[in-house]
Amino acid sequence: MKEVKVKDSDLRRAAEKGMDEFVAVFNDAILEAIGGELNDKTIGELNADQITLLGYVMLRDEVMDGGFIQLIHNGLGAFVYLNPFDKALRNWGIQKLHGIVNKSHRLYKLYHEDIEKECSQEEFDALYEKYSEFDDFDDAFVEGEEGFTSLVAQYIDEHIENFATIVNE
């Protein structure tokens, strides 16, 4: 396992700024410890909670920017849907997000091959109309994002040792 370190001063500063910054301190420290990229090699260097956190941040960033279609098109669908990611969210107490991922899995299975194809911007934009069934899941995520991130921050706070070692500099 890679040792992930977070400076106590960085943690305090982030906690004062809010939950997004608090989550980002841990996400950034984990990414730094594995060289900036979660891939087949580096995933083995992390524990389940660290992987789930990186997955949550990727999911949040993609869905908030372009919905589940963008998430799938950018190659993150397999990580979200073909791993026990939704079960990890449920174990973290994020039931509503677990439900969104779990229920949208059916659409991923049906459409991911078409959505993942290389395409022009115009063809990509047309995917939103073609697969409008994702709209309700996009909306549910956007509406719940603040609460989801709050629950992620709470879980990290209650299990800090699973994410990083806090060091005094």
Side-chain angles (χ1 to χ4, degrees), residues 27 40 56 58 65-67 80 82 114 119 125 127 134 144-145 153:
N27 184 74
D40 291 342
Y56 172 74
M58 289 186 292
D65 187 50
V80 169
L82 302 180
D114 189 38
C119 60
D125 292 343
L127 293 172
F134 283 101
E145 184 274 330

Side-chain angles (χ1 to χ4, degrees), residues 105-158:
H105 187 178
R106 177 184 63 80
L107 299 178
Y108 170 78
K109 285 195 296 190
L110 288 171
Y111 306 130
H112 77 93
E113 290 178 6
D114 189 38
I115 295 171
E116 291 168 346
K117 288 180 185 171
E118 288 294 320
C119 60
S120 68
Q121 183 65 47
E122 189 176 295
E123 292 167 326
F124 173 75
D125 292 343
L127 293 172
Y128 288 97
E129 190 172 323
K130 185 174 182 180
Y131 300 116
S132 61
E133 296 155 276
F134 283 101
D135 290 352
D136 290 341
F137 297 109
D138 294 344
D139 293 345
F141 185 89
V142 170
E143 290 168 12
E145 184 274 330
E146 189 174 318
F148 303 151
T149 300
S150 178
L151 289 169
V152 168
Q154 180 181 336
Y155 185 87
I156 294 169
D157 191 43
E158 293 171 358

